[in-house]
Short mmCIF file of all heavy atoms in Angstrom, two decimals:
data_model
loop_
_atom_site.label_atom_id
_atom_site.label_comp_id
_atom_site.label_asym_id
_atom_site.label_seq_id
_atom_site.Cartn_x
_atom_site.Cartn_y
_atom_site.Cartn_z
N ASP A 804 6.85 -13.65 64.93
CA ASP A 804 6.57 -13.70 63.51
C ASP A 804 5.34 -12.84 63.23
O ASP A 804 4.22 -13.21 63.56
CB ASP A 804 6.32 -15.15 63.08
CG ASP A 804 6.08 -15.27 61.58
OD1 ASP A 804 6.05 -14.22 60.89
OD2 ASP A 804 5.92 -16.40 61.10
N LEU A 805 5.56 -11.67 62.63
CA LEU A 805 4.47 -10.74 62.33
C LEU A 805 4.10 -10.77 60.85
O LEU A 805 3.47 -9.84 60.36
CB LEU A 805 4.86 -9.32 62.72
CG LEU A 805 5.25 -9.06 64.18
CD1 LEU A 805 5.48 -7.56 64.41
CD2 LEU A 805 4.20 -9.59 65.13
N SER A 806 4.47 -11.83 60.15
CA SER A 806 4.22 -11.88 58.71
C SER A 806 2.73 -11.99 58.40
O SER A 806 2.31 -11.63 57.29
CB SER A 806 4.99 -13.03 58.08
OG SER A 806 4.68 -14.26 58.71
N THR A 807 1.94 -12.51 59.33
CA THR A 807 0.49 -12.58 59.13
C THR A 807 -0.21 -12.02 60.36
O THR A 807 0.32 -12.05 61.48
CB THR A 807 0.01 -14.02 58.89
OG1 THR A 807 0.38 -14.84 60.01
CG2 THR A 807 0.61 -14.59 57.62
N TYR A 808 -1.42 -11.53 60.16
CA TYR A 808 -2.21 -10.94 61.24
C TYR A 808 -2.65 -12.00 62.24
O TYR A 808 -3.08 -13.09 61.86
CB TYR A 808 -3.44 -10.24 60.66
CG TYR A 808 -4.43 -9.73 61.67
CD1 TYR A 808 -4.11 -8.68 62.52
CD2 TYR A 808 -5.70 -10.30 61.77
CE1 TYR A 808 -5.02 -8.19 63.45
CE2 TYR A 808 -6.62 -9.82 62.68
CZ TYR A 808 -6.29 -8.77 63.52
OH TYR A 808 -7.20 -8.30 64.43
N SER A 809 -2.55 -11.68 63.51
CA SER A 809 -2.95 -12.60 64.57
C SER A 809 -3.96 -11.93 65.49
O SER A 809 -3.67 -10.89 66.08
CB SER A 809 -1.72 -13.03 65.39
OG SER A 809 -2.09 -13.63 66.61
N GLU A 810 -5.16 -12.51 65.59
CA GLU A 810 -6.17 -11.96 66.48
C GLU A 810 -5.71 -12.01 67.94
O GLU A 810 -5.91 -11.05 68.69
CB GLU A 810 -7.48 -12.72 66.32
CG GLU A 810 -8.17 -12.51 64.99
CD GLU A 810 -9.51 -13.23 64.91
OE1 GLU A 810 -10.25 -13.18 65.92
OE2 GLU A 810 -9.79 -13.84 63.87
N SER A 811 -5.09 -13.12 68.32
CA SER A 811 -4.67 -13.25 69.72
C SER A 811 -3.59 -12.23 70.05
O SER A 811 -3.59 -11.62 71.13
CB SER A 811 -4.16 -14.67 69.99
OG SER A 811 -3.05 -14.99 69.16
N ARG A 812 -2.65 -12.01 69.14
CA ARG A 812 -1.61 -11.01 69.38
C ARG A 812 -2.21 -9.61 69.41
O ARG A 812 -1.80 -8.75 70.19
CB ARG A 812 -0.53 -11.10 68.31
CG ARG A 812 0.62 -10.11 68.53
CD ARG A 812 1.65 -10.15 67.43
NE ARG A 812 2.25 -11.46 67.31
CZ ARG A 812 2.11 -12.29 66.29
NH1 ARG A 812 1.36 -11.92 65.26
NH2 ARG A 812 2.68 -13.46 66.27
N CYS A 813 -3.20 -9.39 68.55
CA CYS A 813 -3.84 -8.08 68.52
C CYS A 813 -4.51 -7.77 69.86
O CYS A 813 -4.40 -6.66 70.38
CB CYS A 813 -4.87 -8.04 67.38
SG CYS A 813 -5.35 -6.38 66.88
N ARG A 814 -5.18 -8.76 70.43
CA ARG A 814 -5.79 -8.56 71.75
C ARG A 814 -4.72 -8.36 72.83
O ARG A 814 -4.86 -7.51 73.71
CB ARG A 814 -6.66 -9.76 72.10
CG ARG A 814 -7.96 -9.82 71.34
CD ARG A 814 -8.93 -10.77 72.02
NE ARG A 814 -10.13 -10.95 71.22
CZ ARG A 814 -11.14 -10.09 71.19
NH1 ARG A 814 -11.06 -8.97 71.87
NH2 ARG A 814 -12.20 -10.34 70.44
N GLU A 815 -3.66 -9.16 72.76
CA GLU A 815 -2.60 -9.07 73.77
C GLU A 815 -1.95 -7.70 73.75
O GLU A 815 -1.79 -7.05 74.78
CB GLU A 815 -1.56 -10.15 73.53
CG GLU A 815 -0.41 -10.12 74.53
CD GLU A 815 0.67 -11.14 74.22
OE1 GLU A 815 0.43 -12.01 73.35
OE2 GLU A 815 1.76 -11.06 74.82
N TRP A 816 -1.56 -7.25 72.56
CA TRP A 816 -0.91 -5.94 72.46
C TRP A 816 -1.91 -4.82 72.73
O TRP A 816 -1.54 -3.76 73.22
CB TRP A 816 -0.27 -5.77 71.09
CG TRP A 816 0.93 -6.64 70.88
CD1 TRP A 816 1.31 -7.72 71.63
CD2 TRP A 816 1.92 -6.53 69.84
NE1 TRP A 816 2.47 -8.28 71.14
CE2 TRP A 816 2.86 -7.58 70.04
CE3 TRP A 816 2.08 -5.67 68.77
CZ2 TRP A 816 3.95 -7.77 69.21
CZ3 TRP A 816 3.17 -5.85 67.92
CH2 TRP A 816 4.10 -6.88 68.15
N GLY A 817 -3.18 -5.08 72.42
CA GLY A 817 -4.22 -4.09 72.74
C GLY A 817 -4.39 -3.91 74.23
O GLY A 817 -4.79 -2.83 74.69
N ASP A 818 -4.10 -4.94 75.00
CA ASP A 818 -4.19 -4.86 76.46
C ASP A 818 -2.90 -4.33 77.09
O ASP A 818 -2.95 -3.56 78.05
CB ASP A 818 -4.49 -6.24 77.05
CG ASP A 818 -5.91 -6.71 76.75
OD1 ASP A 818 -6.77 -5.84 76.45
OD2 ASP A 818 -6.16 -7.92 76.81
N ARG A 819 -1.74 -4.74 76.55
CA ARG A 819 -0.47 -4.45 77.21
C ARG A 819 0.39 -3.42 76.50
O ARG A 819 1.38 -2.95 77.05
CB ARG A 819 0.32 -5.75 77.35
CG ARG A 819 -0.41 -6.84 78.12
CD ARG A 819 0.42 -8.11 78.20
NE ARG A 819 -0.30 -9.19 78.86
CZ ARG A 819 0.18 -10.41 79.04
NH1 ARG A 819 1.40 -10.71 78.58
NH2 ARG A 819 -0.53 -11.35 79.64
N GLY A 820 0.04 -3.11 75.25
CA GLY A 820 0.86 -2.19 74.48
C GLY A 820 1.88 -2.92 73.63
O GLY A 820 2.02 -4.14 73.68
N VAL A 821 2.61 -2.17 72.84
CA VAL A 821 3.61 -2.73 71.93
C VAL A 821 4.86 -3.11 72.72
O VAL A 821 5.41 -2.28 73.44
CB VAL A 821 3.97 -1.72 70.83
CG1 VAL A 821 4.99 -2.31 69.86
CG2 VAL A 821 2.71 -1.27 70.09
N PRO A 822 5.32 -4.36 72.62
CA PRO A 822 6.55 -4.75 73.33
C PRO A 822 7.72 -3.86 72.96
O PRO A 822 7.83 -3.39 71.82
CB PRO A 822 6.76 -6.20 72.86
CG PRO A 822 5.40 -6.68 72.47
CD PRO A 822 4.71 -5.49 71.88
N ALA A 823 8.61 -3.66 73.91
CA ALA A 823 9.74 -2.74 73.73
C ALA A 823 10.55 -2.99 72.46
O ALA A 823 10.91 -2.04 71.75
CB ALA A 823 10.64 -2.78 74.96
N PRO A 824 10.87 -4.26 72.11
CA PRO A 824 11.66 -4.47 70.89
C PRO A 824 10.97 -3.94 69.64
O PRO A 824 11.63 -3.48 68.70
CB PRO A 824 11.82 -5.99 70.84
CG PRO A 824 11.65 -6.45 72.24
CD PRO A 824 10.64 -5.53 72.84
N PHE A 825 9.64 -3.99 69.63
CA PHE A 825 8.92 -3.53 68.44
C PHE A 825 8.68 -2.02 68.47
O PHE A 825 8.45 -1.42 67.42
CB PHE A 825 7.62 -4.30 68.30
CG PHE A 825 7.85 -5.75 67.95
CD1 PHE A 825 7.71 -6.74 68.91
CD2 PHE A 825 8.26 -6.12 66.67
CE1 PHE A 825 7.96 -8.06 68.61
CE2 PHE A 825 8.50 -7.44 66.36
CZ PHE A 825 8.36 -8.42 67.32
N GLU A 826 8.73 -1.41 69.63
CA GLU A 826 8.76 0.04 69.67
C GLU A 826 10.04 0.55 69.00
O GLU A 826 10.02 1.57 68.29
CB GLU A 826 8.70 0.55 71.12
CG GLU A 826 7.31 0.54 71.73
CD GLU A 826 7.27 1.31 73.04
OE1 GLU A 826 8.30 1.89 73.42
OE2 GLU A 826 6.20 1.32 73.68
N VAL A 827 11.14 -0.16 69.22
CA VAL A 827 12.40 0.21 68.57
C VAL A 827 12.27 0.09 67.06
O VAL A 827 12.71 0.98 66.31
CB VAL A 827 13.55 -0.69 69.09
CG1 VAL A 827 14.83 -0.40 68.32
CG2 VAL A 827 13.77 -0.47 70.58
N VAL A 828 11.66 -0.99 66.59
CA VAL A 828 11.45 -1.17 65.15
C VAL A 828 10.56 -0.05 64.60
O VAL A 828 10.85 0.53 63.55
CB VAL A 828 10.81 -2.54 64.86
CG1 VAL A 828 10.44 -2.66 63.38
CG2 VAL A 828 11.76 -3.67 65.26
N ALA A 829 9.48 0.25 65.30
CA ALA A 829 8.52 1.25 64.82
C ALA A 829 9.18 2.60 64.59
O ALA A 829 8.85 3.31 63.63
CB ALA A 829 7.38 1.39 65.82
N ARG A 830 10.12 2.96 65.44
CA ARG A 830 10.75 4.28 65.33
C ARG A 830 11.58 4.42 64.05
O ARG A 830 11.94 5.53 63.66
CB ARG A 830 11.60 4.55 66.57
CG ARG A 830 10.76 4.71 67.83
CD ARG A 830 11.60 5.12 69.03
NE ARG A 830 10.85 5.06 70.27
CZ ARG A 830 9.98 5.99 70.68
NH1 ARG A 830 9.78 7.05 69.92
NH2 ARG A 830 9.33 5.85 71.82
N GLU A 831 11.86 3.30 63.39
CA GLU A 831 12.57 3.37 62.12
C GLU A 831 11.64 3.68 60.95
O GLU A 831 12.09 3.99 59.85
CB GLU A 831 13.28 2.04 61.85
CG GLU A 831 14.34 1.68 62.88
CD GLU A 831 15.00 0.34 62.57
OE1 GLU A 831 14.99 -0.05 61.37
OE2 GLU A 831 15.51 -0.30 63.50
N TYR A 832 10.32 3.61 61.19
CA TYR A 832 9.34 3.80 60.12
C TYR A 832 8.23 4.76 60.55
O TYR A 832 7.06 4.40 60.61
CB TYR A 832 8.74 2.45 59.72
CG TYR A 832 9.77 1.43 59.30
CD1 TYR A 832 10.31 0.54 60.24
CD2 TYR A 832 10.23 1.37 58.00
CE1 TYR A 832 11.26 -0.38 59.87
CE2 TYR A 832 11.19 0.45 57.62
CZ TYR A 832 11.70 -0.42 58.56
OH TYR A 832 12.66 -1.33 58.19
N PRO A 833 8.59 6.00 60.86
CA PRO A 833 7.55 6.95 61.31
C PRO A 833 6.79 7.56 60.14
O PRO A 833 7.32 7.75 59.04
CB PRO A 833 8.38 8.02 62.02
CG PRO A 833 9.67 8.04 61.26
CD PRO A 833 9.93 6.60 60.86
N VAL A 834 5.53 7.85 60.37
CA VAL A 834 4.77 8.73 59.47
C VAL A 834 5.15 10.15 59.84
O VAL A 834 5.09 10.53 61.01
CB VAL A 834 3.26 8.50 59.64
CG1 VAL A 834 2.47 9.53 58.83
CG2 VAL A 834 2.89 7.08 59.20
N LYS A 835 5.54 10.95 58.86
CA LYS A 835 6.12 12.26 59.18
C LYS A 835 5.10 13.23 59.76
O LYS A 835 5.43 14.03 60.65
CB LYS A 835 6.77 12.85 57.93
CG LYS A 835 8.04 12.11 57.51
CD LYS A 835 8.71 12.79 56.33
CE LYS A 835 10.00 12.07 55.95
NZ LYS A 835 10.67 12.72 54.79
N SER A 836 3.88 13.19 59.27
CA SER A 836 2.87 14.13 59.80
C SER A 836 1.48 13.65 59.44
O SER A 836 1.31 12.88 58.49
CB SER A 836 3.11 15.54 59.26
OG SER A 836 2.93 15.56 57.85
N THR A 837 0.51 14.12 60.18
CA THR A 837 -0.89 13.88 59.87
C THR A 837 -1.65 15.20 60.00
O THR A 837 -1.19 16.13 60.65
CB THR A 837 -1.54 12.85 60.83
OG1 THR A 837 -1.45 13.35 62.17
CG2 THR A 837 -0.84 11.51 60.74
N ALA A 838 -2.80 15.27 59.38
CA ALA A 838 -3.65 16.46 59.48
C ALA A 838 -5.10 16.02 59.34
O ALA A 838 -5.40 15.02 58.68
CB ALA A 838 -3.30 17.48 58.40
#
């Protein structure tokens, strides 16, 4: 449940990275470019 910000989850993902299922979700919402 990512509906609210979680400090514990933020630390966990900050240590281990984004879990594979959510990498799949992220790829559906890319930022096209930065400068």
Side-chain angles (χ1 to χ4, degrees):
D804 182 357
L805 302 185
S806 56
T807 58
Y808 173 68
S809 165
E810 291 183 43
S811 60
R812 182 183 299 113
C813 199
R814 286 197 186 280
E815 179 184 350
W816 290 15
D818 290 339
R819 302 179 184 179
V821 181
F825 292 104
E826 281 191 4
V827 174
V828 173
R830 293 186 189 281
E831 298 179 24
Y832 304 92
V834 173
K835 290 184 178 180
S836 64
T837 60

